[in-house]
């Protein structure tokens, strides 16, 4: 999941949803994601283009997280209160998976995919530095989206 660029849909949609809600949901469970800041992807591309050898690599952020952690960080950055009751995403994703087979929807498909891990290699070996921490990257992304 690449975020922080003008073409970012994932984090932008989450931010848009959180801005409309009076209180942020406290989502728990689901698969692991490894969000990576678009700037790190661009740096990795430039690094590999400058390499004398052909390099093919998947890159991800510094650590895998679950959707709930991303929502929690965004809620904190947007100064939104968080619902004290946890909402398990696994049941919601299974329901969305069943419904999306009957009613094709990108949103339902995205929710259904939250139960699967989507973890790739950390970008540090390619970048030569640690990838941007999620908290820092989300702050930069929010500043760009304003």
């Amino acid at each position: 999941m690449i975020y922080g660029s003008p073409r970012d849909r994932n984090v932008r949609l989450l931010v848009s949803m959180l801005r409309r809600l009076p209180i942020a949901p406290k989502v728990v469970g689901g698969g692991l994601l490894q969000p990576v800041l678009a700037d790190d992807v661009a740096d990795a591309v430039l690094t590999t283009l400058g390499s004398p050898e052909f390099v093919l690599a998947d890159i991800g952020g510094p650590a895998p997280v679950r959707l709930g952690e991303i929502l929690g960080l965004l809620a904190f950055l947007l100064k939104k209160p968080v619902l004290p009751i946890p909402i398990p995403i696994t049941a919601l994703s299974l329901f969305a998976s069943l419904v999306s087979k009957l009613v094709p929807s990108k949103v339902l498909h995205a929710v259904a995919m939250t139960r699967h891990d989507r973890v790739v290699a950390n970008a540090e070996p390619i970048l030569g530095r640690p990838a941007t921490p999620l908290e820092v990257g989300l702050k930069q992304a929010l500043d760009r989206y304003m």
Side-chain angles (χ1 to χ4, degrees):
M1 182 170 99
I2 301 171
Y3 68 94
S5 78
R7 295 181 58 135
D8 171 15
R9 292 180 310 212
N10 298 313
V11 172
R12 272 185 194 265
L13 287 173
L14 291 174
V15 169
S16 176
M17 175 198 70
L18 287 173
R19 283 190 174 136
R20 287 192 307 264
L21 294 173
I23 190 165
K26 181 179 183 178
V27 175
V28 294
L32 293 168
L33 306 166
Q34 200 160 352
V36 62
L37 184 63
D39 299 17
D40 290 341
V41 174
D43 288 350
V45 168
L46 291 174
T47 300
T48 58
L49 288 175
S51 173
E53 299 176 13
F54 178 75
V55 178
L56 177 64
D58 294 325
I59 65 165
V65 296
R66 298 196 192 283
L67 179 61
E69 188 174 341
I70 297 169
L71 284 170
L73 286 168
L74 288 172
F76 174 77
L77 292 169
L78 293 169
K79 297 177 174 61
K80 281 279 186 179
V82 178
L83 189 68
I85 303 161
I87 301 169
I89 191 123
T90 306
L92 182 60
S93 69
L94 287 171
F95 177 75
S97 178
L98 293 172
V99 173
S100 69
K101 291 177 183 171
L102 301 172
V103 181
S105 162
K106 288 182 182 180
V107 173
L108 287 174
H109 177 71
V111 172
M113 292 302 293
T114 60
R115 72 180 190 272
H116 302 289
D117 286 346
R118 290 177 283 170
V119 177
V120 296
N122 188 305
E124 186 171 348
I126 294 172
L127 292 173
R129 62 169 172 79
T132 305
L134 185 60
E135 310 83 43
V136 174
L138 288 176
K139 171 93 175 73
Q140 289 177 7
L142 284 176
D143 290 345
R144 291 173 184 169
Y145 303 158
M146 295 300 193

